[in-house]
Every structure is written in structure tokens, then in C-alpha cells.
Amino acid sequence: MAEPAEAAPHESRPEQPEVEATISTLLAQNRRTATAFTVTKHSNDAAKNWDKFYKNHADKFFKDRHWTSREFGTAVGSSSVKPEDDRDEEAQLVAADVARQGSAVLLEVGCGVGNMLYPLLEANAGLRVHCCDFSQRAVDMVRTHPRYDAARVNAFVFDLTSSQPSLASLLKKEPYDAWPAPATVSLIFVLSAIPPHLHLQVLKSLADLLADNPSGGHILFRDYAYGDLSQVRYHTKKDAAWAEPSLLSDEPGQNWYRRGDNTFNYFFQPHELDALAQQLGLQGEAQLLRRTAVNRKSEVNMQRRFVQAKWFVPART
């Protein structure tokens, strides 16, 4: 999906009743749901579907994620570069956290082909990163990148929905067992690609990892929010009568969809994330971020919505 050409400033915006009513009306139409067989099939083929995605798009789909010196602090030095689009904010979120730690170790979950990884490494010479992805093809592209440095990057395939092998064991393989334990975990546009009944399990596995640190750590979260333009498009684009619908569940609060490439897309409401965090003892609240973007070609205003959280995981007592 193409990124908006321009985005409004980065503050969360106040409620707009007329906009909310319009979104609710649009999401109430075209509510056909896919069959249980389709849901199960694509759940079982998730890794294969992401491999196909990266086979088709390689490293051309997502832009590299950059940030300003204001966001990163003094660890980078002066810069006049401005974020190119809303996806840059996720790098700002991560960069600001690791900059406060100086020479730090980050765990990037769902690294893709390294669009955030390599700008982060370039900006902070003291940073080392464990990074993993569901797709073998994506991890292969991280490892064959011209800037790949095995002394600073531990890239591996990992299924967040599985407990075997454990994530902790993959962080402790030689020579990476000599690194300090990561105190920051980034979970950026990842949880939405996982079936909703597994969201709590995934967050718990990451929280357990950080809870073993003497000082705890942070989970930095960013993902799609309920009412985002990309969700509205599922309901305003008419499905062919013979085609399986994109909507995977019509249960209240289950805003779960299948993209055209058979990968998943979930849209979160802040209260859902706050409830998950409360169950796990995570400290911090989810924020709804609204952006009005202008498509220069069509001159149409579009509303992008994201949900963001910085959860502190206390050390295990």
C-alpha cells in the first residue's frame, strides 16, 4: 500500500464526531466474512505467504525509516532531515529509547528486510541489534545487505506464535551470548499480522524476556488503529460475489482482515491494548494517533490512524 504524500503534524487529534460517524457508517457496510476454512488455511500458510510477499516486493515495498536529531538526541548529532512519512515515527520512537541508554542492545521483532535496522545502526555506532522475522526470505535479505555486520547484528528466523525454540535461546547463541540482554523490544506493525487470539501470548513472551533484566525494559509498539483508511477501503471496495471476502471475523471488536496477498491485517482500539497490558502487568497506556494526509494526485484528504504505546516491563521479583 502506498504511503500518503503529505502528513499533518504528529500530535494526537481531538475527537471529531462527524468523522467518527462517517467511519462507523462505512465500516457497517459490506460485512461479508470469509469461511472458517479460509481463515485456517491462511493461518497455517502464514510463513509461506510472507515469503511470497518478499519474493514479489524484495526491499522495494517499504521505505527506509529515518528520524531527526531532535528525536534521537545527542547520540547522532545535528541533522536537518525531516521524516518523509508517518512510518518514520516508528524509528523515532525506537531511536529515542535506545539513545537514552547509550551503547545499547535492541531486539527488533518483525524486522522485514531491514528498513529500520540499517538506519538505526548507521545513526548509532554503539548499537547492537537482535532482529527476527517470520519470513526466511526477509532474513536472508537482511544478511545479504551491503551494510550487514555480524558483529553488530544477530538476524534469525523466528515464529512469534511458537514457543519452540524459545526466543531467549536464540539471543544466547555464540557469539551473541556475550552481549548484554536487550532492554528495548520494538514491535512495529507486527502484531496486526498475527491472529487476534494469539496477541496476548505474543506480548507475554516478550514481556517475560524483558522481566528477566535486573532493571526491566520497554516494549515499543506501533500498529494500525480502528478506522484507519486502509480498513475503510476493505468496506468501500465491492467484493466479487464469487471471491472470499477480506473480513475474517464479524464478532464485535474483531477487526481482522485478509489482504490480497493473503497476509493478515488487524486494526486495534486503544482499550484493547490497555486490557492486554493490564493482564500482563505492563505499565503505560496506548495512544490513538490521527493523521490527515493529502493525496497530491487525486487531491483527496485521507485519514490515517495508528495506535502507539511504550510499555515498561518491571523486573521479575
Side-chain angles (χ1 to χ4, degrees):
M1 180 178 63
E3 290 298 324
E6 294 178 354
H10 296 168
E11 294 85 11
S12 180
R13 296 183 174 182
E15 292 292 335
Q16 301 169 295
E18 68 284 357
V19 174
E20 302 303 316
T22 299
I23 289 173
S24 295
T25 299
L26 292 172
L27 296 184
Q29 63 189 38
N30 191 18
R31 301 291 299 182
R32 291 175 61 230
T33 57
T35 63
F37 172 80
T38 297
V39 175
T40 302
K41 180 181 185 300
H42 293 304
S43 295
N44 293 337
D45 291 342
K48 184 190 299 183
N49 291 333
W50 278 107
D51 269 345
K52 287 181 181 178
F53 173 90
Y54 288 111
K55 179 180 181 181
N56 293 333
H57 298 288
D59 60 353
K60 309 303 180 188
F61 191 82
F62 299 112
K63 298 177 182 178
D64 277 357
R65 300 160 187 180
H66 299 281
W67 51 89
T68 64
S69 60
R70 175 180 62 81
E71 298 293 346
F72 204 94
T74 58
V76 177
S78 62
S79 171
S80 60
V81 177
K82 295 182 179 180
E84 296 174 350
D85 54 46
D86 278 327
R87 284 186 178 273
D88 288 332
E89 292 179 43
E90 63 216 37
Q92 296 170 6
L93 182 71
V94 176
D97 201 72
V98 298
R100 279 190 289 271
Q101 302 176 58
S103 179
V105 176
L106 167 72
L107 169 58
E108 184 186 0
V109 176
C111 62
V113 297
N115 296 102
M116 187 169 73
L117 168 68
Y118 286 110
L120 276 171
L121 291 171
E122 184 176 8
N124 186 350
L127 180 65
R128 288 169 287 182
V129 181
H130 298 283
C131 61
C132 60
D133 199 274
F134 206 30
S135 166
Q136 178 69 63
R137 192 179 297 271
V139 172
D140 288 345
M141 282 191 273
V142 168
R143 290 173 175 162
T144 56
H145 192 284
R147 286 181 284 169
Y148 179 72
D149 180 358
R152 299 184 66 195
V153 180
N154 174 25
F156 55 93
V157 177
F158 184 71
D159 180 357
L160 274 173
T161 67
S162 173
S163 59
Q164 297 296 328
S166 71
L167 182 54
S169 70
L170 295 172
L171 304 187
K172 294 175 181 176
K173 285 191 171 181
E174 292 184 353
Y176 306 107
D177 55 341
W179 290 8
T184 302
V185 173
S186 65
L187 188 65
I188 310 292
F189 293 101
V190 174
L191 204 60
S192 57
I194 293 171
H197 68 279
L198 297 173
H199 290 170
L200 182 65
Q201 171 187 320
V202 168
L203 285 177
K204 183 178 185 305
S205 68
L206 299 176
D208 286 345
L209 187 73
L210 290 173
D212 288 332
N213 290 348
S215 301
H218 289 110
I219 297 175
L220 307 181
F221 177 87
R222 184 80 179 271
D223 224 316
Y224 298 103
Y226 172 84
D228 180 59
L229 170 68
S230 57
Q231 182 183 16
V232 171
R233 282 174 174 163
Y234 286 118
H235 294 271
T236 54
K237 181 180 178 181
K238 187 176 180 180
D239 288 331
W242 48 266
E244 279 285 352
S246 298
L247 186 61
L248 296 180
S249 174
D250 202 23
E251 294 181 20
Q254 291 285 302
N255 299 292
W256 190 30
Y257 299 79
R258 176 182 57 86
R259 294 187 181 96
D261 57 12
N262 295 322
T263 59
F264 294 144
N265 200 3
Y266 191 86
F267 297 88
F268 294 93
Q269 298 198 57
H271 68 80
E272 292 179 80
L273 294 165
D274 288 341
L276 292 174
Q278 185 175 16
Q279 289 184 66
L280 297 173
L282 309 183
Q283 300 174 9
E285 294 184 353
Q287 288 182 294
L288 176 63
L289 307 177
R290 298 179 180 89
R291 309 284 181 266
T292 298
V294 180
N295 186 314
R296 293 194 185 101
K297 186 175 181 180
S298 64
E299 297 185 351
V300 173
N301 290 344
M302 305 176 291
Q303 188 159 94
R304 302 308 311 270
R305 294 182 168 207
F306 307 107
V307 65
Q308 179 172 297
K310 179 179 178 180
W311 290 308
F312 176 67
V313 182
R316 204 184 310 275
T317 56

